[in-house]
Amino acid sequence: MKEKKKSDLSVLLGFAGSYKGLTFLGLGLSAVAMALGMLPYICIWLAARDLIAVAPDWTQATALAKYGWLAFAFAFGGIVVYFCALMCTHLAAFRTASNIRKAGLSHLMKTPLGFFDNNASGLLRNRLDGGAAETETLLAHNLADIVGTAAMFIGMLVLMFVFDWRMGAACLLSAVISVAAMFTMMGGKNAGLMAEYQAAQDVMSKAGTEYVRGIPVVKVFQQTVYSFKAFKAAIDAYSEKAQTYNDDVCRVPQSVNLTFTEGAFIFLVPAALILAPGALAKGDFAGFVTNFAFYAVFSAIVSTALARIMFASAGTMLAKTALGRINTVMDAPTLPVTDNPQSPRDNSVVFKDVSFTYDGAALPALDHVSFTVKPGQTVALVGPSGGGKTTAASLIPRFWDVSSGEVLVGGVNVKEIDPHALMERIAFVFQNTQLFKTSILENVRASRPEATREEALQALHAAQCDDIIDKLPQGIDTVIGSQGTYLSGGEQQRVALARAILKNAPIIVLDEATAFADPENEALIQKALKKLTEGRTVIMIAHRLSTVVGADKIIVLENGRVEEEGSHETLSASGGLYERMWKEYNRAVEWKIASGKEEA
Ligand code: ADP
Ligand code: MG
């Protein structure tokens, strides 16, 4: 059986939980408020009737004050009820938005960490926050207004026909014309033009972003806006489309629409002139004038009602965009978590026939890779860029799950280990180290928040960070990124190493820890690495082959496959890829030393 697709709105309301009822109460009150707001018009009719009945002896119209107060009471009551309605919808909307944020965050907690490589967390947060905020506006204001507008519309139709349907129809006629004019702008061939206009706007805004991104280049090379041909062309195309859309589509209908919305009484006067002789003949001229007075006043609310209907229809579109944003977060894949977790038996890491293909990639990043790292061993992954080293490293802490094969930690498939237990067992330092905008102390403690200040200091010392701390104004309490305290790539790397040292995990994964280091930093980083890796299981990825010479085993990855495996001694004389890489590396080092000598 096919399940009926839920509407965007009911999906959003689903997040309201127990506050859903409050939303409906608010909407009901909003309708009541609108109905109350229509009642003063009846008072006007009553007042007009009394006045015309006693004219010109006005003193006889004794009930006037009563009608006045009644009208005031209805209007005031309407405002009070509307206020209560908004209270209800706001309470529910705030709760719903907060539920959406919570649901989104708890969903993101279950997504594989690798997901955030391709989906910046800031962007996800923006989408979730933006979607939640839009929902807030929608549920707190728009929805109440939509329901109120519907109530107003029904009330308007009733009042139009209740006193004199012919004059009511005359008022309605102008409303019909203005709505019809509005629809011609959106329908038929004009819909195509509208789409073209919006497409041109999209192209322009994209080209604009591109242009802003390129400003540094523009400035450096002294270019002008004309060099950004695409942007200029997009602006020209947009202005042409806007002009066409204006002239061909909007001008006439919009004028008609405005004329008949604002002048809703336009048919009322001729209608009254036609009806007057009949009323005179029947002898009920007073009643006729009363009705005319009523409709003359009442026609003013027709334009208000129409304007509100237009805004309300915009509000329903908001539900779609809000839900779309929220869904980009909710549709993120999640990592399955095992129901009966097992504990790793030791600190070995084993890849068993592992293949992995990134979403949307044509070729696998890892292709039937197998290797074993015994407890306490240091194994180096080397090979040309794009060979799959980083991918292999990120499968160990389950940044991604394998496409096929198994990754075992301590003899247990990582999928069968409790994710927290797995994370506790592994410390990693990745290429793109990220420090938080907080103090050095807190940055180091991120790996083990319960660590003492003393322990953090020891870790920093072991990671050779003493020089960094000494030069910072508030030592380890200095907030990184504030007051111009920025750390170089190599310094950041050392702080990241201190973080890993503090974690004191038995398995260490290092991805090109020396990649960004200048020579001075490199020596320090090597020392820090030594401290970090002592007596632990280490999987290291390194550019500089000098750092892998001492590894227990070297695995050469090329195009996602294990090309060679063995110690430095055997591989450097095997005539294979590693030997070529080693010779290349030495030539580069010699060249560096030689050029250094010439300078001296
Ligand atoms: P290495 O670390 O050896 O340089 P990687 O493991 O980073 O290699 O990359 C292996 C292959 O996977 C490359 O072809 C790369 O383009 C691709 N790749 C890496 N990261 C991603 C990603 N997040 N999404 C899609 N493809 C990726
Ligand atoms: Mg890499």
Side-chain angles (χ1 to χ4, degrees):
M1 202 180 80
K2 213 178 125 195
E3 205 180 320
K4 194 172 161 281
K5 197 181 168 294
K6 276 183 157 186
S7 80
D8 296 341
L9 194 60
S10 66
V11 176
L12 286 179
L13 277 176
F15 286 106
S18 56
Y19 279 66
K20 206 166 168 178
L22 201 59
T23 303
F24 288 126
L25 177 64
L27 298 184
L29 287 179
S30 168
V32 171
M34 217 32 105
L36 283 176
M38 306 290 275
L39 292 180
Y41 288 98
I42 295 185
C43 298
I44 290 176
W45 183 83
L46 290 171
R49 187 195 60 182
D50 281 14
L51 278 175
I52 290 165
V54 300
D57 189 3
W58 309 117
T59 46
Q60 293 216 302
T62 45
L64 270 195
K66 193 178 80 189
Y67 297 138
W69 282 113
L70 257 178
F72 174 76
F74 285 135
F76 189 74
I79 291 171
V80 171
V81 174
Y82 186 60
F83 183 78
C84 295
L86 286 189
M87 281 285 275
C88 295
T89 55
H90 272 82
L91 276 178
F94 290 145
R95 179 51 59 106
T96 308
S98 114
N99 283 350
I100 287 172
R101 291 190 175 99
K102 281 185 196 150
L105 283 183
S106 65
H107 183 86
L108 286 181
M109 291 298 284
K110 290 182 232 137
T111 52
L113 285 175
F115 177 76
F116 298 100
D117 284 357
N118 301 349
N119 299 272
S121 48
L123 192 69
L124 289 170
R125 198 211 56 150
N126 263 348
R127 292 208 184 118
L128 187 61
D129 246 8
E134 271 170 359
T135 319
E136 219 169 82
T137 328
L138 176 73
L139 295 185
H141 290 279
N142 300 66
L143 215 50
D145 287 346
I146 290 171
V147 172
T149 303
M152 184 179 192
F153 191 73
I154 293 168
M156 188 179 90
L157 286 182
V158 170
L159 285 187
M160 263 181 176
F161 294 105
V162 88
F163 296 113
D164 185 325
W165 69 269
R166 292 159 306 186
M167 284 195 254
C171 289
L172 195 62
L173 184 59
S174 45
V176 169
I177 291 177
S178 65
V179 170
M182 207 170 75
F183 274 107
T184 61
M185 280 195 279
M186 298 190 272
K189 74 167 174 36
N190 291 340
L193 277 175
M194 173 88 171
E196 276 177 41
Y197 164 76
Q198 277 168 347
Q201 196 170 19
D202 263 6
V203 169
M204 181 175 71
S205 95
K206 281 198 188 115
T209 314
E210 201 77 337
Y211 172 68
V212 171
R213 284 217 187 110
I215 279 179
V217 183
V218 175
K219 280 197 160 176
V220 168
F221 294 103
Q222 307 267 308
Q223 310 267 308
T224 64
V225 65
Y226 292 100
S227 59
F228 268 79
K229 285 220 182 67
F231 189 30
K232 173 104 172 48
I235 295 175
D236 291 345
Y238 170 76
S239 78
E240 198 198 305
K241 278 274 175 292
Q243 198 66 44
T244 324
Y245 186 62
N246 243 352
D247 293 352
D248 298 357
V249 180
C250 296
R251 192 181 334 189
V252 176
Q254 183 67 359
S255 314
V256 173
N257 176 22
L258 281 181
T259 308
F260 285 91
T261 320
E262 298 301 327
F265 51 83
I266 220 163
F267 296 109
L268 184 61
V269 176
L273 289 177
I274 295 168
L275 292 173
L280 263 183
K282 262 206 281 175
D284 183 24
F285 197 64
F288 170 77
V289 176
T290 307
N291 287 344
F292 176 73
F294 169 78
Y295 283 106
V297 175
F298 185 71
S299 66
I301 91 160
V302 174
S303 58
T304 323
L306 288 180
R308 290 184 66 122
I309 290 169
M310 286 209 287
F311 283 122
S313 63
T316 53
M317 277 175 2
L318 207 60
K320 202 179 163 72
T321 58
L323 194 66
R325 281 158 177 258
I326 293 164
N327 278 345
T328 55
V329 174
M330 293 300 186
D331 291 345
T334 52
L335 271 189
V337 175
T338 173
D339 286 332
N340 44 16
Q342 299 171 37
S343 304
R345 289 184 279 280
D346 56 32
N347 294 317
S348 62
V349 175
V350 177
F351 273 57
K352 250 194 206 164
D353 201 29
V354 170
S355 295
F356 177 77
T357 310
Y358 284 101
D359 256 354
L363 292 173
L366 290 179
D367 193 1
H368 300 285
V369 169
S370 299
F371 61 84
T372 301
V373 187
K374 293 194 187 121
Q377 268 192 336
T378 295
V379 166
L381 300 178
V382 302
S385 180
K389 305 180 294 288
T390 301
T391 306
S394 52
L395 293 182
I396 303 170
R398 278 185 92 190
F399 279 25
W400 303 107
D401 268 343
V402 296
S403 306
S404 71
E406 283 186 317
V407 176
L408 308 167
V409 168
V412 180
N413 190 328
V414 285
K415 291 183 193 173
E416 305 299 325
I417 303 174
D418 171 64
H420 290 289
L422 181 66
M423 287 298 187
E424 258 165 36
R425 204 163 262 265
I426 306 170
F428 22 83
V429 180
F430 276 116
Q431 255 165 334
N432 46 349
T433 307
Q434 292 209 333
L435 296 187
F436 304 113
K437 269 201 172 165
T438 156
S439 67
I440 302 255
L441 175 67
E442 292 311 324
N443 261 295
V444 173
R445 271 211 291 226
S447 64
R448 191 152 66 83
E450 72 279 7
T452 64
R453 191 182 169 89
E454 203 43 50
E455 287 172 315
L457 270 172
Q458 276 168 12
L460 281 162
H461 177 71
Q464 314 292 316
C465 294
D466 294 339
D467 62 323
I468 304 175
I469 297 164
D470 286 346
K471 77 175 182 200
L472 289 175
Q474 279 110 41
I476 63 168
D477 297 311
T478 310
V479 173
I480 295 172
S482 70
Q483 308 150 7
T485 45
Y486 291 93
L487 301 184
S488 77
E491 288 168 338
Q492 289 186 26
Q493 203 72 39
R494 277 188 272 150
V495 174
L497 286 174
R499 188 190 274 168
I501 290 173
L502 185 69
K503 184 162 182 183
N504 196 17
I507 300 173
I508 314 277
V509 179
L510 295 165
D511 191 359
E512 320 230 34
T514 56
F516 294 114
D518 43 81
E520 264 167 59
N521 265 311
E522 196 193 343
L524 290 172
I525 288 175
Q526 292 298 355
K527 271 196 199 165
L529 278 178
K530 219 174 153 127
K531 283 264 173 24
L532 173 62
T533 56
E534 265 166 6
R536 299 199 163 92
T537 306
V538 181
I539 291 116
M540 68 185 312
I541 299 169
H543 260 320
R544 300 177 202 229
L545 293 188
S546 59
T547 51
V548 310
V549 169
D552 296 305
K553 183 154 65 176
I554 294 168
I555 291 157
V556 186
L557 280 176
E558 189 181 24
N559 298 327
R561 275 188 296 272
V562 177
E563 283 298 315
E564 293 169 289
E565 181 175 342
S567 69
H568 172 73
E569 280 70 36
T570 44
L571 288 183
S572 59
S574 67
L577 178 59
Y578 185 80
E579 185 179 338
R580 284 203 300 282
M581 283 168 59
W582 177 244
K583 282 190 175 143
E584 194 68 38
Y585 175 74
N586 280 316
R587 237 197 317 277
V589 173
E590 275 162 29
W591 179 82
K592 235 193 241 167
I593 294 170
S595 63
K597 264 183 202 152
E598 263 164 43
E599 268 169 38

